Amino acid sequence: GAQAGFGRPAPLPQTGWERLSELWQRDEQQQFPEETVNIAKSAFTAGVVGWLYGGLPAFVSARKAFIESSHGEIFQNRADAVQSAHRAGLRSFIRYGWRWSWRVTAFATVFNVVSTGLSAYRDKTTISNFAAAGAFTGALFRMHLGLQGLVGGVVFGTAFGVPAGGLLMAMYGLAGETLQEKRSRERRELYEQRLAEWQSRLSMTEILGQTENNAQGRPEMERAREL
């Protein structure tokens, strides 16, 4: 009864599916795990990088093309001509920047979700996780081109995943532990702390119960002596 009342801490996840589902659950502070937050940060960063990668060359090219093709046009003044050229470049920046942005964001997000999920499921972080994530992501983005595109996507994704994984593993090596190892350590330390607190409260409850029983038993013993 005391165990049920105080609520023994939930045991640590034992299976890969339990560790995987834990990635999408908030903690007591209503915060997602660090791995999940990193996925969102990487998606945002990839979107910005993709937009700049596709938008800046398009801006320069469109502005240059506008200037070359507008020699015969009449503008009110030099400022009007410059603004018209900038507007032409800005339209191309938005158009082509968006095209690259969502593609790079989707690729990075799928790659990070798969690699993070594999690390959580296997309870270890290895380069093979990143290679598999790259192969899956590349195949997913090229499968609409048929078998040849599917194979090419696997090759490209693997070629991307291996060096990316190697770079991350090198960064983890400098940090001393991977995110998965850090999460496992923090999860174990938190469980041990909660278990110790639960056992302490349970012992205190038993002591209070014994004290109360002894206090109730003394008047009965005194009445029995009087009789």
Side-chain angles (χ1 to χ4, degrees):
Q3 292 183 1
F6 283 106
R8 184 188 181 103
L12 297 175
Q14 301 297 323
T15 66
W17 289 113
E18 291 178 347
R19 290 188 295 270
L20 194 61
S21 63
E22 198 177 45
L23 290 176
W24 317 110
Q25 298 176 1
R26 297 176 184 267
D27 57 16
E28 295 179 350
Q29 287 74 36
Q30 297 302 309
Q31 296 179 348
F32 285 105
E34 184 177 358
E35 299 94 324
T36 308
V37 175
N38 287 341
I39 292 175
K41 291 180 179 179
S42 298
F44 176 79
T45 304
V48 174
V49 172
W51 201 302
L52 295 177
Y53 178 82
L56 290 179
F59 176 87
V60 175
S61 178
R63 188 175 182 277
K64 181 179 179 181
F66 178 85
I67 294 174
E68 293 176 351
S69 63
S70 61
H71 289 297
E73 296 186 17
I74 299 177
F75 298 96
Q76 296 179 359
N77 48 50
R78 180 179 178 82
D80 183 33
V82 173
Q83 290 177 1
S84 298
H86 280 313
R87 284 195 294 269
L90 184 60
R91 286 193 296 268
S92 293
F93 176 80
I94 295 175
R95 179 181 179 183
Y96 292 97
W98 165 250
R99 287 185 179 182
W100 274 96
S101 179
W102 77 262
R103 287 179 171 86
V104 175
T105 300
F107 187 93
T109 302
V110 173
F111 175 81
N112 286 325
V113 168
V114 175
S115 61
T116 302
L118 286 174
S119 297
Y121 185 85
R122 300 177 63 189
D123 201 21
K124 61 180 179 180
T125 303
T126 62
I127 294 182
S128 62
N129 293 346
F130 298 100
F136 174 83
T137 307
L140 183 65
F141 275 75
R142 303 287 292 181
M143 62 186 302
H144 66 283
L145 299 178
L147 181 60
Q148 185 176 359
L150 184 67
V151 174
V154 171
V155 174
F156 170 79
T158 304
F160 169 81
V162 171
L167 178 61
L168 289 174
M169 293 297 294
M171 295 174 60
Y172 293 149
L174 294 176
E177 59 182 355
T178 66
L179 286 180
Q180 187 62 34
E181 292 171 346
K182 178 182 177 182
R183 180 163 177 76
S184 298
R185 175 179 56 80
E186 292 177 346
R187 186 194 297 120
R188 183 177 62 255
E189 292 175 352
L190 181 60
Y191 173 76
E192 292 174 352
Q193 177 184 351
R194 290 177 176 175
L195 184 61
E197 293 175 352
W198 174 79
Q199 291 175 342
S200 177
R201 292 195 301 267
L202 185 62
S203 299
M204 183 62 66
T205 302
E206 293 176 351
I207 294 174
L208 292 175
Q210 293 177 358
T211 303
E212 184 178 355
N213 292 335
N214 293 336
Q216 293 176 353
R218 288 175 182 174
E220 295 179 357
M221 294 178 59
E222 292 178 357
R223 287 197 297 270
R225 291 175 180 175
E226 294 176 356
L227 295 176

